[in-house]
Amino acid sequence: MEEELKCPVCGSLFREPIILPCSHNVCLPCARTIAVQTPDGEQHLPQPLLLSRSSGLPAGAAAAPSLEHDAAAGLACSGAGGSAAGGLGGGAGGGGDHADKLSLYSETDSGYGSYTPSLKSPNGVRVLPMVPAPPGSSAAAARGAACSSLSSSSSSITCPQCHRSASLDHRGLRGFQRNRLLEVIVQRYQQGRGAVPGASAAVAVAICQLCDRTPPEPAATLCEQCDVLYCSACQLKCHPSRGPFAKHRLVQPPPPPPAPAEAASAPTGATQGAPSGGGGCKSPGGTGAGASGGSTARKFPTCPEHEMENYSMYCVSCRTPVCYLCLEEGRHTKHEVKPLGAMWKQHKAQLSQALNGVSDKAKEAKEFLFSEEHIAENGLDYEACLVAQCDALVDALTRQKAKLLTKVTKEREHKLKMVWDQINHCTLKLRQSTGLMEYCLEVIKENDPSGFLQISDALIKRVQVSQEQWVKGALEPKVSAEFDLTLDSEPLLQAIHQLDFIQMKCRVPPVPLLQLEKCCTRNNSVTLAWRMPPFTHSPVDGYILELDDGAGGQFREVYVGKETLCTIDGLHFNSTYNARVKAFNSSGVGPYSKTVVLQTSDVAWFTFDPNSGHRDIILSNDNQTATCSSYDDRVVLGTAAFSKGVHYWELHVDRYDNHPDPAFGVARASVVKDMMLGKDDKAWAMYVDNNRSWFMHCNSHTNRTEGGVCKGATVGVLLDLNKHTLTFFINGQQQGPTAFSQVDGVFMPALSLNRNVQVTLHTGLEVPTNLGQPKLSGN
């Protein structure tokens, strides 16, 4: 923010800033240095004495004259009618009111223009140098001569930032509004830094600005219109409550600011040279209060054309605050005006909105400024990632190399073992054959016919047997000396040559890899697991798992999600299913994985389901034995579900008291569980006592059969969903030709019993082939 608070001419913090017509600001002392005087009749100023850099003054001093010099010049130009305030307050505002009146009013030159400056300030802004004092004369007299020579000239000022010129009227620089808000911000900024330039000590109390005593007296009043602090004596002397000062408002002086002001009091010489008149109030904002920090005491700024009136309205046409006299008498009479407070809030809102946009751009600029750092960091990260990936490839290749070498070693050892066995066998046979041959040769050398014939038959048989023992292929090696192993490295070499960076945003996911070691089946459920290939950079939003119908039919989606493990229940027993998976992301769907073949169990292994049974059902023996705590019939289901195929299971009656009626069969999952199985339309069952049995569905009894159950009996249930039949067996004897209605769906093993019965379930059984024929009764 400090750059916004510096004058573009002197490069220091603003002192008494004024607002130029182009909306830029400039210090009032600096404005005097850049004001250009144009004499009438093409008469120019005397040749100025340029302040050379060899004079020992700093560049800022050359651009802006000292405050004392400015005050002296103001006094010289003021004449007899100069005010007391004009020579006080450090000159920044003291002599400015009179120095500004050096320029003449010009009605023709009131717009913007350009100029050719003659000197540059420290900030690179061109300024008009001071008029030198003639030799042997005082600075004030020289200033007076300069003012006299310019009495017939007109003046203009050029903005040091946008280089647009504006003419000065009869009020000179005092015709421009003073930026009180900027003054307050500058002062607050100086206080925030802990010191104000030029201050020597903190001011304990507000002091009089016109007092010539040493030290000055404490201030007793503050004139809001003059903006000057007076002690009691100076107020009676310089600001009487009569005449033009009668309407001025005197208030209590404000507390001093925490930071010291630039000057505790006005220069003594200037104060002594000031007349006792009250002309100091003619310069609103140009008094010594501006230099001493007292300007912050003003609560409301006054109109520059009507110095005793505060701003009350806002002229929309001229875009400036105005007082009520401006609306009644001035040039704003017919202009559109609005309340000052409403326009203040509206412009604050507009500025806030504009600041939001600038803030967003500033954030973007900060991010852009850090882009180089981000690129460097990301580059290092990518380099580290690349090195890690390549090292992982090298490690994987090293491990695979070790595996292949181990495989070659095992193959070599196997071949050598086979060859060594053949060599040992051949060596033994060769030794035997060689000995037999040598013996036969010695026998042939004998000339005794009778002796030869005695052993010749035996030798011939031995030789023939020995020859037969050398069967065909005995001398051929059982293994080849060549290794039937060829390393297929071509795909890997191609992959290495094609190894390159990919754009993640425009690539679909690669093929998922099925983890066969984790894929399994249990009964009629299958579990599949998969993963993405290593070093995969394409993002994955989810996976799609597809399964066929178990008979080589169409694939269908059975799972869509982000998990890499899925279990599918309720499949057909003794069926072969094909499964595949693919990945997808915002760019599309990737290719399918390889198809895995899964075989469900030939027979069903299941137990009673504690979650589906009535709360009175008691399960034990790993949920294979069931009984009941109630005398009423209660239903429990099995954990398996059947929709296809042939299935068989048995129930062994462990306890049978008081002739109860247990029921055995199948049911839907939604069967009623607090009454006998088969009384609703969700179950098909056989209920049996100690003498006979009935088939029951929808509370209808059919197919009565003689033969009941007792303790130790076995009840078999045969469910054939291919033929839609349900058959029951008691101790291997069929209990009537029962049958389903022609219905499809999912059926679960079911049982109903009470506390007088206990049964144990046996599953995983093949369908028996030696089941007996049914016994039918007359009913």
Side-chain angles (χ1 to χ4, degrees):
M1 185 180 70
E2 185 174 355
E3 293 300 323
E4 293 290 331
L5 305 181
K6 288 183 178 181
C7 174
V9 177
C10 63
S12 302
L13 296 177
F14 280 108
R15 296 174 298 165
E16 300 182 82
I18 60 173
I19 306 175
L20 299 179
C22 58
S23 299
H24 291 129
N25 299 282
V26 68
C27 292
L28 181 60
C30 297
R32 299 190 188 99
T33 65
I34 62 175
V36 179
Q37 291 83 17
T38 306
D40 293 339
E42 297 298 325
Q43 294 179 0
H44 297 280
L45 291 172
Q47 179 65 30
L49 178 62
L50 298 179
L51 301 178
S52 63
R53 300 190 180 187
S54 60
S55 61
L57 293 176
S66 64
L67 297 179
E68 291 80 6
H69 194 181
D70 227 11
L75 290 174
C77 296
S78 62
S83 67
L88 300 174
D97 183 41
H98 304 280
D100 292 341
K101 293 180 181 179
L102 291 175
S103 60
L104 297 179
Y105 176 69
S106 173
E107 296 181 351
T108 57
D109 188 9
S110 60
Y112 293 131
S114 61
Y115 76 110
T116 304
S118 57
L119 190 65
K120 280 190 177 182
S121 72
N123 272 3
V125 179
R126 297 188 178 274
V127 299
L128 184 69
M130 308 291 290
V131 177
S137 63
S138 65
R143 287 290 182 180
C147 293
S148 301
S149 64
L150 294 176
S151 60
S152 61
S153 64
S154 62
S155 299
S156 64
I157 187 170
T158 301
C159 175
Q161 290 183 280
C162 63
H163 303 297
R164 301 174 71 180
S165 295
S167 297
L168 277 64
D169 58 12
H170 64 284
R171 297 173 297 174
L173 293 175
R174 295 298 176 184
F176 298 128
Q177 293 184 8
R178 183 170 171 181
N179 196 337
R180 302 283 185 177
L181 180 61
L182 182 56
E183 281 188 85
V184 173
I185 295 174
V186 169
Q187 191 174 43
R188 189 162 58 235
Y189 177 75
Q190 290 175 331
Q191 294 171 0
R193 292 194 306 178
V196 177
S200 59
V203 179
V205 294
I207 59 175
C208 177
Q209 295 177 283
L210 300 181
C211 219
D212 54 358
R213 299 178 181 86
T214 303
E217 293 290 331
T221 57
L222 167 70
C223 176
E224 287 191 342
Q225 283 70 30
C226 300
D227 201 7
V228 176
L229 293 167
Y230 300 94
C231 64
S232 299
C234 292
Q235 188 264 326
L236 294 175
K237 177 181 178 182
C238 302
H239 199 285
S241 299
R242 62 180 182 276
F245 302 111
K247 294 183 179 181
H248 286 202
R249 183 181 178 186
L250 300 177
V251 297
Q252 291 293 329
E262 284 191 7
S265 60
T268 304
T271 306
Q272 293 174 349
S276 61
C281 59
K282 292 183 180 180
S283 175
T287 64
S292 64
S295 61
T296 56
R298 178 185 294 274
K299 296 181 180 179
F300 301 100
T302 57
C303 176
E305 297 182 2
H306 308 90
E307 298 176 354
M308 297 176 59
E309 300 298 333
N310 295 330
Y311 291 120
S312 59
M313 301 295 287
Y314 181 81
C315 179
V316 179
S317 303
C318 300
R319 297 181 179 273
T320 182
V322 294
C323 66
Y324 80 97
L325 291 179
C326 293
L327 301 179
E328 293 180 356
E329 306 171 358
R331 56 189 178 92
H332 304 281
T333 305
K334 297 182 179 181
H335 290 180
E336 179 185 359
V337 294
K338 290 186 178 180
L340 189 66
M343 293 303 297
W344 170 60
K345 294 181 179 179
Q346 178 182 345
H347 282 207
K348 267 195 172 183
Q350 292 177 357
L351 180 60
S352 299
Q353 293 178 356
L355 283 177
N356 290 336
V358 175
S359 176
D360 294 339
K361 295 298 181 182
K363 291 180 181 178
E364 295 178 4
K366 288 182 179 179
E367 294 177 358
F368 175 75
L369 292 177
F370 285 107
S371 61
E372 180 182 359
E373 182 179 350
H374 292 165
I375 291 174
E377 293 178 357
N378 292 339
L380 294 176
D381 293 342
Y382 269 87
E383 287 180 4
C385 181
L386 176 62
V387 171
Q389 289 178 339
C390 291
D391 290 344
L393 289 176
V394 173
D395 293 341
L397 186 60
T398 303
R399 290 193 298 269
Q400 191 65 22
K401 173 185 175 183
K403 290 181 181 179
L404 294 177
L405 288 176
T406 302
K407 189 174 182 180
V408 171
T409 302
K410 290 182 178 180
E411 184 71 14
R412 182 178 69 243
E413 292 175 352
H414 173 70
K415 287 179 176 292
L416 290 176
K417 184 177 181 302
M418 295 291 292
V419 172
W420 288 337
D421 291 342
Q422 278 190 286
I423 290 175
N424 293 335
H425 179 71
C426 290
T427 301
L428 179 60
K429 290 296 296 180
L430 180 61
R431 187 183 301 113
Q432 294 174 354
S433 299
T434 302
L436 181 60
M437 289 173 59
E438 292 176 351
Y439 175 69
C440 291
L441 291 175
E442 293 298 327
V443 170
I444 292 174
K445 293 179 181 179
E446 293 294 331
N447 295 324
D448 182 6
S450 60
F452 177 82
L453 292 175
Q454 288 179 348
I455 63 174
S456 61
D457 291 336
L459 287 176
I460 291 172
K461 289 181 179 180
R462 287 183 62 188
V463 171
Q464 290 176 350
V465 171
S466 178
Q467 183 179 0
E468 291 175 357
Q469 288 180 348
W470 292 97
V471 295
K472 183 179 180 181
L475 299 179
E476 296 178 0
K478 294 182 179 181
V479 294
S480 173
E482 302 295 331
F483 284 84
D484 298 331
L485 300 175
T486 302
L487 183 62
D488 186 12
S489 60
E490 186 62 27
L492 181 59
L493 287 175
Q494 292 181 0
I496 292 176
H497 293 154
Q498 295 174 359
L499 189 63
D500 201 353
F501 296 103
I502 59 175
Q503 295 293 332
M504 294 174 59
K505 296 182 180 180
C506 60
R507 296 292 296 271
V508 298
V511 179
L513 300 179
L514 288 168
Q515 295 182 278
L516 300 180
E517 68 278 5
K518 296 183 180 180
C519 298
C520 62
T521 61
R522 183 180 181 274
N523 276 342
N524 60 338
S525 300
V526 297
T527 300
L528 296 107
W530 59 90
R531 62 179 177 85
M532 295 304 294
F535 312 115
T536 298
H537 299 284
S538 298
V540 177
D541 295 338
Y543 302 92
I544 300 174
L545 177 63
E546 295 183 357
L547 204 69
D548 68 356
D549 58 358
Q554 294 288 335
F555 281 92
R556 69 186 189 280
E557 291 184 3
V558 295
Y559 171 76
V560 178
K562 295 185 178 181
E563 299 296 330
T564 57
L565 182 70
C566 181
T567 298
I568 303 100
D569 299 319
L571 302 178
H572 301 312
F573 284 89
N574 195 22
S575 300
T576 302
Y577 287 90
N578 297 306
R580 63 187 183 183
V581 67
K582 59 183 176 181
F584 64 89
N585 59 15
S586 58
S587 299
V589 181
Y592 284 105
S593 66
K594 293 182 179 180
T595 301
V596 61
V597 180
L598 300 167
Q599 175 71 39
T600 55
S601 301
D602 295 338
V603 294
W605 296 84
F606 59 92
T607 62
F608 292 119
D609 186 4
N611 299 319
S612 66
H614 192 276
R615 61 179 177 273
D616 294 337
I617 294 293
I618 302 173
L619 300 179
S620 59
N621 189 25
D622 293 333
N623 296 332
Q624 294 180 2
T625 300
T627 186
C628 183
S629 62
S630 173
Y631 286 103
D632 297 323
D633 293 316
R634 300 294 186 243
V635 174
V636 62
L637 303 179
T639 56
F642 306 113
S643 60
K644 178 184 176 183
V646 182
H647 311 281
Y648 178 78
W649 62 96
E650 292 180 348
L651 298 108
H652 185 267
V653 180
D654 302 327
R655 180 167 57 85
Y656 188 83
D657 302 330
N658 300 324
H659 309 291
D661 299 330
F664 312 89
V666 295
R668 308 281 195 187
S670 58
V671 65
V672 178
K673 299 182 177 65
D674 57 358
M675 60 184 181
M676 180 180 285
L677 191 69
K679 285 194 173 185
D680 62 356
D681 62 346
K682 302 294 191 302
W684 295 259
M686 177 192 74
Y687 80 94
V688 60
D689 58 15
N690 59 331
N691 293 319
R692 53 194 173 273
S693 62
W694 291 266
F695 182 77
M696 188 165 64
H697 174 65
C698 289
N699 205 23
S700 175
H701 304 67
T702 59
N703 295 336
R704 175 181 171 181
T705 306
E706 297 297 330
V709 297
C710 61
K711 181 180 179 181
T714 299
V715 177
V717 182
L718 177 62
L719 176 64
D720 190 345
L721 292 174
N722 298 331
K723 299 179 180 180
H724 290 276
T725 61
L726 179 64
T727 309
F728 300 96
F729 303 88
I730 298 178
N731 295 327
Q733 191 70 32
Q734 182 177 345
Q735 295 298 106
T738 60
F740 269 129
S741 318
Q742 293 297 322
V743 294
D744 295 320
V746 178
F747 304 92
M748 308 175 73
L751 166 71
S752 68
L753 44 75
N754 59 26
R755 66 181 302 171
N756 295 319
V757 186
Q758 177 177 307
V759 298
T760 297
L761 177 65
H762 298 278
T763 61
L765 305 176
E766 296 285 348
V767 178
T769 58
N770 56 351
L771 294 175
Q773 294 299 319
K775 293 181 180 181
L776 300 179
S777 65
N779 295 332

